[in-house]
Amino acid sequence: MPEEYYNILIKLAKKAMSKGEVPVSAIIVNNNKVIAKSSNSRQKKYDVCNHAEINVIKKASKKNKDWRLNNCDLYVTLKPCSMCESIIKQSRIKNVYYLLDKPTEKKEYNKTSFEKQNISTQEKQYSRYLKAFFQKKRDKI
């Protein structure tokens, strides 16, 4: 099966490259059946989030009518970046299989500064909202 999956991925990557996209592609498999496939579309859609892995997760989630992809496996041509890794973990995908590691000369951009704001009134107010939201969810279970 994996060889068949990677043949699909290579075709998708080639198609993405012909459109000027980075040739990365991904598929999601559930019970040995491909339920979603996609490739990068950042350039075409002008969307920094449109990596192949995120695109395919959205498609599989829509098809399953659930954002949880617990029993699914992700096959991808290139090892996922840190953004995609986080999304993959959030979607609860069981296994990730990839063909190539990222080239060592490929660096992720890290020029953004993150700074926690210390505004106690709003911080306390928001903290109460967040706790109440999750408490309500737990109470329904």
Side-chain angles (χ1 to χ4, degrees), residues 9-67:
L9 289 171
I10 297 297
K11 286 180 187 176
L12 287 168
K14 188 175 177 182
K15 188 175 177 181
M17 187 169 67
S18 73
K19 296 177 180 180
E21 298 288 348
V22 176
V24 176
S25 56
I27 61 172
I28 292 184
V29 176
N30 190 6
N31 295 323
N32 297 319
K33 182 181 177 198
V34 176
I35 63 167
K37 53 187 178 179
S38 193
S39 59
N40 280 1
S41 60
R42 278 180 13 156
Q43 304 301 322
K44 182 180 178 187
K45 304 275 184 161
Y46 309 109
D47 188 336
V48 70
C49 297
N50 279 14
H51 289 205
E53 300 92 331
I54 294 173
N55 291 342
V56 79
I57 287 169
K58 286 180 178 181
K59 287 181 179 184
S61 296
K62 187 173 183 178
K63 184 172 186 171
N64 282 357
K65 294 183 174 74
D66 193 348
W67 58 268

Side-chain angles (χ1 to χ4, degrees), residues 32-141:
N32 297 319
K33 182 181 177 198
V34 176
I35 63 167
K37 53 187 178 179
S38 193
S39 59
N40 280 1
S41 60
R42 278 180 13 156
Q43 304 301 322
K44 182 180 178 187
K45 304 275 184 161
Y46 309 109
D47 188 336
V48 70
C49 297
N50 279 14
H51 289 205
E53 300 92 331
I54 294 173
N55 291 342
V56 79
I57 287 169
K58 286 180 178 181
K59 287 181 179 184
S61 296
K62 187 173 183 178
K63 184 172 186 171
N64 282 357
K65 294 183 174 74
D66 193 348
W67 58 268
R68 297 170 199 87
L69 300 172
N70 295 330
N71 297 315
C72 296
D73 295 326
L74 172 70
Y75 289 80
V76 62
T77 51
L78 192 64
K79 184 178 181 183
C81 70
S82 57
M83 175 182 71
C84 291
E85 279 184 17
S86 184
I87 299 298
I88 291 163
K89 289 174 185 176
Q90 288 289 319
S91 69
R92 302 179 183 167
I93 286 175
K94 188 174 184 179
N95 299 298
V96 177
Y97 304 101
Y98 61 93
L99 266 180
L100 292 177
D101 284 313
K102 284 188 273 187
T104 54
E105 65 274 8
K106 172 73 172 125
K107 303 289 183 217
E108 290 189 34
Y109 285 97
N110 194 12
K111 297 179 181 178
T112 304
S113 170
F114 291 84
E115 185 178 325
K116 183 180 181 307
Q117 298 293 294
N118 293 312
I119 306 170
S120 61
T121 305
Q122 287 85 352
E123 187 177 327
K124 288 176 186 172
Q125 183 180 19
Y126 176 65
S127 179
R128 284 194 306 270
Y129 292 155
L130 197 57
K131 286 177 184 174
F133 175 82
F134 285 109
Q135 185 60 52
K136 197 173 191 179
K137 290 281 189 191
R138 284 190 294 275
D139 291 346
K140 287 183 180 180
I141 295 176

